[in-house]
Amino acid sequence: MNYTAAQIAEITGSKVIGDASVTVKNISFDSRNLFAVQDRAFIAINTSQNSGEKYISDVLERGIRIIIAEHKTCDKEGITWILVENSVLFLQKLAKYHLKSFPDLKTVGITGSNGKTIVKEWLYQCIYNIFDTVKSPKSFNSQTGLPLSILQTGKKHEVGIFEAGISRPGEMAVLAAIFSPEIGVLTHIGTAHSANFSTESELIDEKLKFFKDSSVIIFNGDHPGIYDAVSLRYPDRKLVSYGLGPHNKLFVQSGWDNFSNEITVSYFDNVFKFNLSQKDEATLQNVLALIAVLKELQVSNEEIVQKLVGLKAIEMRLESVHGVRGNLVVNDSFNLDVDSLKIAFQFIKEYKKVKKVLILTDIIDVKEPPDQLYKEVAQLVNEQDFDRVYLVGSVITQYHALFQAKSYIYKDSADLIESQTLNHIEDSLILLKGARKFAIEKIKNLLELQKHDTVLEVNLNALLHNINIHKALLKPKTRMMAMVKAYSYGLGGYEIAEFLQHHHIDYLGVAYADEGMDLRKNGITTPIIVMNPEQHSYNAIIEYNLEPEIYSFRVLELFWNALNELGVDKQYPIHIKLETGMHRLGFKSEELMLLAEKLNTMNLKVASIFSHLSTSDMSDERDYALRQIEVFARSADVLINALGYRPILHILNSAGITSFTEYQFDMVRIGIGMVGISNDPAVKKQLQNAVVFKTVISQISHVKAGDSIGYSRRHIAGTDTRIATIPVGYADGIPRMIGNAKGFVSINGRLCPIVGNICMDMLMVDIGTLQVQEGSEVIIFNSKPTLEQFAEYCQTIPYEVLTSISRRVKRIYIKN
């Protein structure tokens, strides 16, 4: 886009205050991920859950000079304001106008429950060097994401590929009013985002609204409901059904169930063959959708076959791992173009490392001439304040003078590794951004602190998704505290806290002061409550500005004495724990008046009053929980009246948020709910697995009937079989009790029993005739078995499973 503020105001019916001649080429909506400010406006999007206007002061400090908002929030000089009635409607109106400016643009729109982003990215891979193509970044497909995607369209573009995603009735009609594609694609319909629809038919009907102006509709015809619904609703359009069944216009004739054979497909009786490296049904269905679109774009069979052979996996994720010498390594070596470079720059904004280093290779397989391409790349890089930039390749190194940071040039990855200059990087964030041909994984391996086959993979997107699912149950002003005690339930310490802080969590909760100290040392500034303040830790609590839980008169007096000894004269924040029926810690009802008298003589500020439900996850003990809530509310009122002010009140944990939402008070505490665990079936359906514990097969052995396996010969093979040895044991957090067929792991999608006694560093699994190899992936828990199922094997709860995973297991943090 390229409009003046005056033009934008005229298009959208908005009002300009300030310089109406300023140019807007980009619009950002997330204050956390600003990576460039030139010709960029910030739009403060207001929703029922959040107001973007509270972040305006932050983006102004970072150099933004154009603000799009519903209200003018300050009078800072030099700022151009575009004032709108509704921020979301503004975006949608601007995008609709912008798209009409390109009547010759060939448009492809993709919707569905699963596969949208994969089909979009594969289609882009296939056509970007045939047509100048614009596409939705990442998974931008919502009421705001689709308009922002459309606004990227420029005069040079010949094809536009955009996603449309919905989560509730009524949303697709809004999106279709902005954009209804010429070629429409409906991918697999499943359970994703279906929670707000009463039936699958209702969901399908909503999806089909997207194609109101489409001349071609491509859809998965293996689903009878979809086949009938599309045929009935759009009989006058060109309908291209795809699938495995021969009733489809595009179907697989043979070869998909045999890895050694080519796949033969028929498209309107036109038959051709191709090879695929992966032949699972989901992949094949996505490939068929891709083929159908390519045919509509007049791509020949020969070109299609060539493109399919060259398809790259859509990783769509960035990994962050601990590096040597105190570095944090962010690996984004899956693909490389200007768009993915922007996404990576947004991603690293989440980290608080003062020093940043970029390793960047040649950008290959793009249509832009090098002079134009690397000038744009250098401008982007220069706005990120990198301390050092390592340029790798024969082309990008010719433009090193464009990069303002101290830069180093190397002909290839081997040249960089051999130079040993990477050994001089300390306490920095290192972003690896390289094309695949440069084998940047070798650089990653050199920089990593640990290299283990066994890893605990934490999906930060899923973590945030789960938080937002719980937030959706709350009132907009209800605060949320995230429990990060016990190494964030085993997920990692400051990495999780840093991510939560970036996403504006209100409070963090730790068990002990040293946990809070570590977070402060790593740049965490969010308020931190210490739930179990030990007597010897009071000085550290005060030094690191932590906020203690006070649960008895003894603790109150000791902490007050510590404040006086250190000469602290400010009103120090504390949190009062009430005993309401759990009989663990807390002030009892009869102690409240004396407590208030003491507090009123002390230079302390009660930041919150709280308690804990002992049966929030037990439906048969609901009455007991309600009695606890009643006691809490009554006791809190007594204390508030005696203090003369109202602190924050909170009693609900993860289970409480879903089971007793009406008693959310001023704040709730989320813990295991972040991981994807819930006792509420409707909520559980919407949550995502945030943690994967996985490893690989070290060795496969053939064992004869009667042979024994493992220490103490506890398992005797009943038949000839094959045993896989896995490099994980009780020192990694796998309890010995789940050996001897009490527990299972997943290999190649099949649950395989653990046999023999579990060793300190290894366990053995009976794989029978399963077709796997040494080095194949093993899932200890994820979706099969789930974390809950694995906890059942261990006769415990998910909390204990997670917190038992050894620190020696490498944590990897994934963000899509």
Side-chain angles (χ1 to χ4, degrees):
M1 60 179 288
N2 189 353
Y3 299 103
T4 65
Q7 289 171 324
I8 290 175
E10 183 178 355
I11 293 165
T12 61
S14 307
K15 177 184 177 182
V16 177
I17 299 177
D19 185 359
S21 66
V22 295
T23 299
V24 179
K25 294 183 178 179
N26 298 282
I27 296 177
S28 291
F29 69 97
D30 193 331
S31 64
R32 299 161 299 189
N33 296 333
L34 280 174
F35 63 95
V37 297
Q38 188 174 356
D39 299 326
R40 185 176 297 271
F42 172 76
I43 182 167
I45 296 178
N46 290 338
T47 68
S48 60
Q49 295 296 318
N50 193 25
S51 170
E53 293 179 359
K54 63 185 179 183
Y55 307 117
I56 289 176
S57 59
D58 181 38
V59 299
L60 292 177
E61 288 180 9
R62 295 164 70 177
I64 289 288
R65 290 295 173 263
I66 308 167
I67 300 293
I68 303 167
E70 295 173 14
H71 307 94
K72 187 180 180 210
T73 60
C74 68
D75 293 318
K76 188 171 182 178
E77 292 185 7
I79 306 303
T80 296
W81 294 82
I82 302 176
L83 298 183
V84 304
E85 288 189 13
N86 182 291
S87 52
V88 175
L89 292 180
F90 162 85
L91 269 182
Q92 295 171 348
K93 189 180 293 186
L94 181 61
K96 184 176 182 178
Y97 174 90
H98 185 68
L99 192 60
K100 287 181 178 178
S101 304
F102 308 101
D104 297 327
L105 183 75
K106 191 88 170 177
T107 57
V108 180
I110 307 172
T111 190
S113 302
N114 307 103
K116 297 186 296 294
T117 302
I118 290 175
V119 172
K120 177 200 69 183
E121 294 294 336
W122 275 348
L123 180 58
Y124 180 79
Q125 283 183 24
C126 290
I127 69 171
Y128 75 94
N129 55 3
I130 302 174
F131 308 102
D132 274 313
T133 305
V134 60
K135 65 179 175 70
S136 301
K138 300 187 288 185
S139 296
F140 273 37
N141 56 36
S142 65
Q143 303 289 295
T144 56
L146 176 63
L148 287 167
S149 300
I150 290 171
L151 289 172
Q152 296 182 116
T153 308
K155 292 180 180 179
K156 69 174 184 176
H157 293 127
E158 300 168 282
V159 176
I161 315 169
F162 303 111
E163 289 183 51
I166 58 171
S167 58
R168 62 188 70 250
E171 290 183 341
M172 188 60 87
V174 175
L175 296 182
I178 305 166
F179 167 67
S180 183
E182 181 179 344
I183 301 172
V185 182
L186 179 62
T187 62
H188 173 73
I189 293 291
T191 59
H193 310 297
S194 63
N196 296 311
F197 293 89
S198 57
T199 64
E200 186 179 67
S201 296
E202 184 186 20
L203 173 62
I204 293 171
D205 182 68
E206 185 73 14
K207 296 280 188 183
L208 293 184
K209 293 176 183 177
F210 188 45
F211 307 125
K212 66 182 183 68
D213 298 325
S214 300
S215 57
V216 179
I217 302 173
I218 297 165
F219 61 96
N220 187 331
D222 283 345
H223 190 301
I226 294 175
Y227 194 99
D228 294 340
V230 176
S231 302
L232 184 64
R233 184 163 185 158
Y234 296 114
D236 58 334
R237 316 296 172 85
K238 180 178 181 180
L239 304 181
V240 183
S241 63
Y242 66 85
L244 303 181
H247 63 283
N248 292 298
K249 302 297 185 183
L250 171 60
F251 69 95
V252 179
Q253 286 189 337
S254 63
W256 80 277
D257 54 352
N258 190 321
F259 276 88
S260 62
N261 293 339
E262 288 185 312
I263 295 172
T264 302
V265 299
S266 172
Y267 175 80
F268 288 92
D269 298 325
N270 180 358
V271 177
F272 60 98
K273 300 180 179 181
F274 57 89
N275 281 310
L276 275 183
S277 59
Q278 193 171 337
K279 292 187 179 181
D280 62 275
E281 185 172 343
T283 297
L284 190 57
Q285 294 282 12
N286 291 332
V287 167
L288 291 174
L290 172 64
I291 292 171
V293 180
L294 292 174
K295 295 295 290 185
E296 291 304 318
L297 293 175
Q298 307 301 312
V299 180
S300 68
N301 289 355
E302 292 74 17
E303 285 183 290
I304 290 175
V305 171
Q306 183 182 3
K307 297 294 185 182
L308 295 180
V309 171
L311 282 180
K312 300 173 185 176
I314 307 301
E315 297 287 353
M316 294 183 298
R317 67 186 204 170
L318 293 91
E319 294 180 349
S320 56
V321 297
H322 291 298
V324 293
R325 294 176 292 278
N327 296 315
L328 178 72
V329 182
V330 178
N331 177 31
D332 186 24
S333 56
F334 303 113
N335 52 47
L336 178 58
D337 56 23
V338 173
D339 286 340
S340 71
L341 192 63
K342 292 177 181 178
I343 292 169
F345 289 162
Q346 291 173 6
F347 177 76
I348 64 175
K349 289 292 182 183
E350 297 184 11
Y351 294 95
K352 300 300 181 185
K353 287 281 189 182
V354 175
K355 295 189 293 183
K356 295 182 295 183
V357 173
L358 173 66
I359 299 176
L360 180 63
T361 72
D362 283 348
I363 300 176
I364 59 177
D365 295 332
V366 293
K367 296 183 70 174
E368 290 94 338
D371 285 356
Q372 176 186 332
L373 172 66
Y374 290 110
K375 181 179 179 181
E376 181 181 2
V377 168
Q379 287 176 344
L380 284 170
V381 172
N382 291 340
E383 288 197 65
Q384 311 314 311
D385 296 322
F386 285 105
D387 295 277
R388 304 182 199 178
V389 175
Y390 295 83
L391 304 174
V392 181
S394 59
V395 182
I396 194 171
T397 50
Q398 299 176 35
Y399 298 90
H400 70 92
L402 297 175
F403 295 85
Q404 295 174 358
K406 188 174 183 179
S407 58
Y408 304 81
I409 59 175
Y410 303 91
K411 62 181 180 181
D412 53 33
S413 296
D415 188 26
L416 172 56
I417 292 171
E418 290 170 6
S419 72
Q420 298 190 14
T421 54
L422 298 178
N423 296 333
H424 302 299
I425 305 174
E426 296 180 350
D427 298 317
S428 300
L429 182 149
I430 306 173
L431 173 62
L432 305 181
K433 200 76 185 78
R436 288 174 181 264
K437 65 171 278 188
F438 287 94
I440 210 152
E441 288 290 321
K442 295 180 180 178
I443 299 175
K444 175 197 167 196
N445 292 338
L446 177 68
L447 294 170
E448 272 189 290
L449 180 63
Q450 300 169 304
K451 301 178 184 70
H452 295 305
D453 291 327
T454 302
V455 299
L456 188 72
E457 191 174 276
V458 182
N459 189 313
L460 297 176
N461 290 87
L463 201 77
L464 181 61
H465 168 85
N466 296 337
I467 288 172
N468 288 334
I469 291 296
H470 286 84
K471 274 188 174 181
L473 301 172
L474 306 174
K475 299 173 185 176
K477 292 185 178 181
T478 301
R479 305 184 196 191
M480 181 171 279
M481 181 166 88
M483 303 306 297
V484 293
K485 61 183 181 178
Y487 199 51
S488 296
Y489 289 37
L491 306 187
Y494 79 90
E495 295 91 349
I496 302 298
E498 189 170 52
F499 179 75
L500 295 171
Q501 174 174 271
H502 180 74
H503 287 280
H504 306 295
I505 204 76
D506 297 290
Y507 267 92
L508 297 171
V510 299
Y512 299 105
D514 53 358
E515 294 176 315
M517 289 163 54
D518 287 341
L519 296 182
R520 287 283 186 253
K521 289 176 181 177
N522 282 285
I524 302 301
T525 58
T526 298
I528 298 173
I529 300 178
V530 180
M531 311 301 282
N532 299 305
E534 298 171 297
Q535 181 174 335
H536 70 273
S537 67
Y538 295 156
N539 287 359
I541 286 174
I542 297 165
E543 179 183 354
Y544 287 93
N545 196 30
L546 308 174
E547 302 178 15
E549 168 188 320
I550 303 297
Y551 53 83
S552 70
F553 290 114
R554 181 185 68 86
V555 173
L556 178 63
E557 292 291 344
L558 289 171
F559 187 70
W560 174 241
N561 291 338
L563 285 170
N564 290 329
E565 289 174 5
L566 292 174
V568 177
D569 57 2
K570 69 171 184 175
Q571 276 199 313
Y572 201 93
I574 61 171
H575 300 263
I576 299 296
K577 176 71 174 290
L578 300 182
E579 162 53 43
T580 59
M582 192 165 179
H583 301 293
R584 190 170 63 176
L585 295 174
F587 289 96
K588 299 175 178 61
S589 299
E590 60 269 22
E591 297 175 317
L592 296 180
M593 293 310 298
L594 177 58
L595 172 62
E597 288 179 18
K598 287 182 174 292
L599 289 172
N600 286 332
T601 65
M602 296 174 170
N603 195 22
L604 296 170
K605 175 75 172 181
V606 179
S608 84
I609 303 169
F610 72 103
S611 189
H612 199 96
L613 298 178
S614 57
T615 62
S616 59
D617 58 349
M618 300 171 66
S619 58
D620 57 338
E621 290 284 0
R622 182 175 177 84
D623 288 344
Y624 190 81
L626 288 172
R627 286 200 297 273
Q628 277 195 265
I629 292 170
E630 183 183 356
V631 171
F632 173 70
R634 187 169 59 247
S635 298
D637 282 345
V638 170
L639 200 52
I640 289 168
N641 290 332
L643 290 173
Y645 60 91
R646 179 187 172 91
I648 297 168
L649 305 184
H650 52 108
I651 193 171
L652 300 185
N653 58 1
S654 295
I657 294 170
T658 58
S659 300
F660 300 93
T661 312
E662 63 271 34
Y663 301 106
Q664 60 194 261
F665 294 100
D666 307 304
M667 185 164 72
V668 296
R669 306 185 298 269
I670 191 167
I672 201 71
M674 293 188 291
V675 178
I677 303 292
S678 178
N679 62 305
D680 186 305
V683 173
K684 175 65 177 175
K685 183 180 178 182
Q686 301 177 66
L687 300 179
Q688 298 175 358
N689 295 318
V691 185
V692 182
F693 192 9
K694 63 184 182 181
T695 184
V696 299
I697 297 174
S698 297
Q699 184 176 5
I700 295 175
S701 304
H702 292 268
V703 173
K704 294 186 178 299
D707 285 352
S708 62
I709 296 163
Y711 284 123
S712 305
R713 302 191 68 212
R714 291 293 301 277
H715 181 81
I716 306 297
T719 60
D720 291 355
T721 189
R722 293 156 69 238
I723 298 296
T725 301
I726 313 299
V728 59
Y730 59 76
D732 300 293
I734 309 296
R736 293 183 77 243
M737 67 177 296
I738 69 168
N740 298 300
K742 293 184 178 66
F744 297 79
V745 297
S746 177
I747 304 176
N748 204 20
R750 193 175 90 185
L751 288 177
C752 301
I754 300 170
V755 295
N757 284 339
I758 291 175
C759 312
M760 180 181 289
D761 311 300
M762 287 174 280
L763 58 83
M764 288 70 72
V765 176
D766 189 337
I767 59 173
T769 60
L770 187 62
Q771 296 302 303
V772 291
Q773 301 173 335
E774 293 176 357
S776 293
E777 186 176 78
V778 178
I779 300 296
I780 298 168
F781 60 74
N782 178 19
S783 56
K784 185 180 181 180
T786 65
L787 173 56
E788 296 99 318
Q789 288 170 330
F790 190 82
E792 288 176 9
Y793 301 157
C794 304
Q795 298 180 29
T796 186
I797 57 177
Y799 297 86
E800 184 176 352
V801 170
L802 290 173
T803 56
S804 297
I805 297 173
S806 168
R807 297 286 185 98
R808 77 177 187 175
V809 174
K810 182 173 69 173
R811 272 70 171 171
I812 294 180
Y813 301 94
I814 304 299
K815 189 174 188 298
N816 297 331

